[in-house]
Amino acid sequence: MEVVESDGRSEFKDLAVKVLTCSEEEFYGKYFPQAVSSRFKFFGKKLSTCAITNAKSGKCPSDCKFCAQSSVSTAKINVYPLIEPEEIVRRAVFVSEFSERFSIVTSGISPNKEEIKKIGIAVEEIRKKIPKLKVCASLGFVKSEDLKFLKDCGLSRYHHNLETSESFYPKICSKQNWKDRVKQVEIAKEVGLEVCCGGIFGMGESEVEIAELLLTLSLN
């Protein structure tokens, strides 16, 4: 697929492809030192930690080929509905000794109102009990008003991956739309939440498609 870009986007993508396809010698001799230098410039020596809890598992109606939570997956996993707020809080207390963030993760395309309410109760209680612990969530597609509710409860960050590039996405999922994923990230930002957004590599995508994903992330 030929993509027409401007404002340095083509150069960005070309560089990303070069890094992904270069020899090991060139990578460690040229690109790795640049990456380390940039890391220290923007982040110093700090390492951020985030512990997650699988608060709802299995039976997702989507068909993402990489995901064991999908209803079409044959992976042997524990399947259970959303756990109670008290249990979510207990897990948060446990991880607070060694992590600065705690993320509530649920299976499914979108949580229902009752699930949003329970998650809000858990977030609020965690913030009261452990003020130093930052709380984030990965809940799929959530409406703006529900994200505002969770933010008011104390949620500080929302996680929603794009998974891969727009051109490769139809090869891994047929029941969700890639542009909707981008929109969900935008909605989270609009309500004032921090966002955590990335992708997955090794699903059969090309270096160019990886570069397309990186370009999208750099622009958003």
Side-chain angles (χ1 to χ4, degrees):
M1 182 184 76
E2 191 64 30
V3 180
V4 179
E5 289 126 349
S6 59
D7 302 324
R9 299 182 187 183
S10 180
E11 290 81 358
F12 178 99
K13 202 167 80 172
D14 288 344
L15 176 59
V17 173
K18 283 182 181 178
V19 174
L20 291 166
T21 57
C22 71
S23 66
E24 190 172 304
E25 290 78 11
E26 186 178 8
F27 175 77
Y28 284 106
K30 181 179 180 180
Y31 297 117
F32 185 71
Q34 294 176 5
V36 172
S37 176
S38 295
R39 182 203 185 286
F40 280 111
K41 177 181 178 181
F42 293 105
F43 301 103
K45 296 181 179 180
K46 184 180 178 181
L47 179 66
S48 179
T49 56
C50 180
I52 71 172
T53 186
N54 189 13
K56 177 185 176 184
S57 182
K59 293 189 177 180
C60 175
S62 192
D63 62 348
C64 302
K65 292 183 179 179
F66 57 83
C67 188
Q69 303 272 357
S70 170
S71 58
V72 300
S73 172
T74 58
K76 303 299 181 183
I77 64 168
N78 292 326
V79 177
Y80 49 84
L82 182 68
I83 59 179
E84 292 302 314
E86 295 79 9
E87 176 59 17
I88 296 176
V89 174
R90 187 193 69 78
R91 295 180 185 186
V93 171
F94 175 76
V95 305
S96 64
E97 295 301 315
F98 54 83
S99 181
E100 64 187 79
R101 281 193 173 276
F102 175 71
S103 184
I104 302 167
V105 182
T106 60
S107 66
I109 295 177
S110 297
N112 60 41
K113 284 291 185 181
E114 183 61 28
E115 290 170 333
I116 289 290
K117 182 180 178 181
K118 283 187 175 183
I119 292 168
I121 292 171
V123 172
E124 199 165 37
E125 186 62 26
I126 291 169
R127 294 296 296 145
K128 286 179 182 177
K129 187 168 288 190
I130 327 160
K132 69 174 184 177
L133 188 65
K134 299 173 183 177
V135 186
C136 43
S138 180
L139 312 173
F141 292 96
V142 179
K143 294 179 180 179
S144 177
E145 59 265 31
D146 290 332
L147 283 179
K148 287 178 183 177
F149 165 74
L150 292 175
K151 183 176 182 291
D152 290 341
C153 290
L155 194 75
S156 63
R157 179 180 290 177
Y158 196 70
H159 168 256
H160 194 78
N161 275 346
L162 300 185
E163 312 302 12
T164 187
S165 67
E166 182 177 10
S167 60
F168 189 73
Y169 190 78
K171 297 178 182 178
I172 63 168
C173 183
S174 67
K175 296 189 178 182
Q176 297 181 53
N177 185 283
W178 185 86
K179 283 187 170 66
D180 290 339
R181 304 196 73 84
V182 175
K183 182 60 179 176
Q184 181 62 61
V185 175
E186 292 172 346
I187 290 171
K189 292 169 72 174
E190 286 168 3
V191 303
L193 289 167
E194 297 177 10
V195 296
C196 175
C197 182
I200 302 173
F201 304 124
M203 301 183 291
E205 71 282 351
S206 68
E207 287 81 3
V208 171
E209 286 160 337
I210 293 174
E212 288 173 2
L213 171 62
L214 297 176
L215 177 59
T216 302
L217 293 172
S218 73
L219 296 173
N220 290 275

